[in-house]
Amino acid sequence: NMAFGRDSFTIASTRSGSPRIAADILERHEVEGLHLDYIRYVDTGNGLKWPCQCRACRLKYVEIFGKPVISAEDFQAPGAVYKYLQFRNSNIAGIVRQVREIARQNGVQLSMAARADYFGSALVEGQDWTDWARRGWLDFICPMNYTTDRAEHKRLLKMQLALVSGACPIYSG
C-alpha cells in the first residue's frame, strides 16, 4: 500500500514491517513517492467495544490503566477514552514518522489516503492526519470523500482544508 510513480503496486503491511517495506520499495524500484493507503487500525472504532488483548497491548494497558485487561466498561470515563486513543494514535504515528524519514532520505514524497470523517472515524482508528500534516510528515493528503452527495462532499472538503490549514495540499477523492 505504499508506492506511486513508474512502478506502482500495492503491498499490505504490518506495524513492524511498514518501514522495512518502504525502504525495500525505494531500494528496488524507481518511484517518485510512497502512498500510505491503509495506515490505521482496521477496527473502525470497534476497539472501543472490544479492545485488543494481545500481549503488547496488555503490557501497555498496565502502564496506562493499571491493569492488563480492559473492556468497553473501562471507557465510561472520558479520560480513559482519551488515553486509549492517544495510545493507538502514537502507534500509527510512529509508523508514519519512520516512513517519512525513509522517504526524505530517498528524496521522494509521502502521501496518504485519509479517512474523510476526521472526528468520527480517523482519530478513533489512530489516524491523526491533520497532526501529521502540520508536523510536515505528509507532502499531500487524499481524503476518501467518497459520496455522490455534492453538498456532503463540499462540507467534508471545507472541514479538511480548515483542519490542515495549508500545511500540505489536499486532493479530495
Side-chain angles (χ1 to χ4, degrees):
N1 66 348
M2 296 205 288
F4 63 86
R6 286 173 246 166
D7 288 329
S8 185
F9 50 89
T10 300
I11 294 178
S13 63
T14 64
R15 180 176 134 177
S16 62
S18 297
R20 180 183 41 77
I21 291 168
D24 186 58
I25 288 170
L26 294 174
E27 182 180 308
R28 297 172 184 257
H29 303 278
E30 192 172 323
V31 297
E32 297 172 10
L34 299 173
H35 182 73
L36 302 171
D37 187 40
Y38 205 86
I39 192 71
R40 64 183 187 268
Y41 279 87
V42 298
D43 63 25
T44 314
N46 284 325
L48 290 170
K49 295 177 188 171
W50 302 286
C52 179
Q53 300 300 331
C54 77
R55 183 175 182 273
C57 284
R58 288 192 319 253
L59 290 171
K60 190 66 176 179
Y61 297 158
V62 170
E63 181 183 320
I64 298 170
F65 300 104
K67 58 185 182 177
V69 176
I70 61 171
S71 66
E73 290 76 35
D74 291 302
F75 298 131
Q76 297 304 309
V81 174
Y82 169 79
K83 293 301 281 185
Y84 180 71
L85 295 181
Q86 185 181 48
F87 158 63
R88 287 166 58 100
N89 184 263
S90 70
N91 290 334
I92 303 299
I95 296 168
V96 175
R97 187 181 64 251
Q98 290 174 22
V99 173
R100 169 78 253 176
E101 287 309 308
I102 291 165
R104 278 195 180 131
Q105 291 167 3
N106 287 275
V108 300
Q109 292 186 324
L110 181 63
S111 63
M112 72 168 294
R115 290 296 247 177
D117 186 358
Y118 180 72
F119 294 106
S121 59
L123 291 174
V124 175
E125 294 173 354
Q127 194 185 79
D128 194 350
W129 50 265
T130 65
D131 180 59
W132 306 340
R134 290 177 181 177
R135 290 175 184 266
W137 295 353
L138 300 168
D139 293 299
F140 61 93
I141 298 170
C142 303
M144 298 179 287
N145 293 334
Y146 310 142
T147 179
T148 57
D149 183 329
R150 289 178 189 246
E152 175 65 2
H153 186 267
K154 185 176 180 179
R155 183 193 69 77
L156 286 168
L157 184 56
K158 182 178 179 179
M159 177 194 63
Q160 293 155 353
L161 290 167
L163 288 170
V164 171
S165 188
C168 71
I170 290 182
Y171 298 100
S172 179

